[in-house]
Amino acid sequence: MQRILIVEDEQRLAAIIADYLHAAGFVSHWLGDGRGVAAWVREERPDLILLDLMLPGRDGMEICKDIRSFSTVPIIMVTARIEEIDRLLGLELGADDYICKPFSPREVVARVKAVLRRSGGPTTADGQGLVLNESTMRATLDGCNLDLTAVEFKLLAFLFARPGHIYSRDQLMERIYPDQRIVNDRTIDSHIKKLRRKMEQVLSGCDLIRSVYGVGYKFEPEQG
Ligand code: CA
């Protein structure tokens, strides 16, 4: 089960959100004070954070910046003023989404799911997102089996482990063919092409694997 950290000083609101998240199959943890949030995240590694902007102890902006210095965990920033969102976007804090109060708990759950799906990580029991099972070498996208070959699975798992990191064809080849068997460097291109086609068949428009012209490939969770 995925763990959502709710950072919110209004306890009643936090409790309502927690109820809805629980009903949607998530586990949640609540922190009501800004101090200690970054340390908690470092220690507990939640799957997503709902972060209120105005908090006692430490404000959400500082916390967000701090967390981004060591983690790419998805962060949804919660503000009480819609005008604030433009300013926050301009500050490039690295949050993944913004929600304005008052909101419906249903909307919060929908945003949580959408952000988790975009971030490419495994999501809830409703089978959304990309899920890799290393032991069975089986990958599912939005609940559908991608039916990958062993080489395709290895490539995907390797790229997936470091989102945004660009790997050259040589690096990928070393990874996939550690016995240094002589393979044409177009081999990687052809595996990637098949992998993309399989993902595209399940989820039209899916471009989680991007080519970086003249360099190689990277796994890029969609940004909204
Ligand atoms: Ca607040």
Side-chain angles (χ1 to χ4, degrees):
M1 282 225 267
Q2 286 193 290
R3 295 151 62 238
I4 314 295
L5 172 62
I6 303 168
V7 185
E8 172 60 69
D9 54 319
E10 293 168 54
Q11 188 171 359
R12 212 179 59 87
L13 181 59
I16 293 169
I17 297 171
D19 278 350
Y20 272 77
L21 286 172
H22 180 72
F26 295 100
V27 173
S28 65
H29 186 93
W30 172 62
L31 293 176
D33 187 288
R35 282 165 293 219
V37 172
W40 193 92
V41 170
R42 203 188 277 272
E43 191 70 22
E44 299 290 332
R45 299 178 177 278
D47 295 295
L48 184 143
I49 304 168
L50 279 166
L51 180 59
D52 189 26
L53 186 64
M54 299 287 283
L55 292 162
R58 196 155 185 233
D59 77 67
M61 281 195 301
E62 278 180 45
I63 297 169
C64 187
K65 273 194 269 185
D66 197 358
I67 292 171
R68 276 291 168 266
S69 69
F70 64 87
S71 169
T72 57
V73 58
I75 298 174
I76 300 179
M77 206 80 163
V78 180
T79 88
R81 296 202 341 223
I82 191 100
E83 314 86 68
E84 195 94 75
I85 294 180
D86 270 347
R87 192 172 72 85
L88 292 171
L89 282 171
L91 292 173
E92 296 184 355
L93 299 169
D96 296 84
D97 200 0
Y98 297 86
I99 301 181
C100 191
K101 289 179 187 174
F103 47 67
S104 75
R106 235 178 264 281
E107 185 195 352
V108 174
V109 171
R111 296 283 195 101
V112 164
K113 286 183 180 174
V115 168
L116 285 171
R117 195 155 57 229
R118 284 209 309 261
S119 71
T123 53
T124 53
D126 63 1
Q128 303 284 7
L130 180 63
V131 181
L132 303 185
N133 185 327
E134 298 273 350
S135 58
T136 59
M137 286 189 127
R138 189 171 172 233
T140 59
L141 183 62
D142 276 5
C144 298
N145 187 7
L146 287 173
D147 202 15
L148 304 180
T149 64
V151 168
E152 288 161 1
F153 182 89
K154 275 196 234 171
L155 265 175
L156 178 61
F158 188 51
L159 291 166
F160 179 76
R162 281 188 74 184
H165 186 87
I166 302 165
Y167 290 99
S168 68
R169 288 182 179 79
D170 282 348
Q171 286 172 318
L172 294 174
M173 262 190 320
E174 274 167 36
R175 181 73 188 188
I176 305 308
Y177 301 104
D179 57 353
Q180 309 214 314
R181 198 149 48 115
I182 306 298
V183 284
N184 183 304
D185 74 345
R186 293 292 130 188
T187 306
I188 293 293
D189 293 341
S190 120
H191 286 308
I192 294 269
K193 202 171 159 187
K194 285 181 202 151
L195 187 50
R196 278 171 155 170
R197 196 183 302 143
K198 287 179 180 179
M199 293 169 90
E200 169 83 24
Q201 275 166 0
V202 167
L203 189 64
S204 138
C206 172
D207 61 347
L208 292 170
I209 295 173
R210 310 260 174 94
S211 55
V212 182
Y213 186 74
V215 186
Y217 295 97
K218 64 175 175 174
F219 181 86
E220 189 71 87
E222 292 164 75
Q223 299 298 319

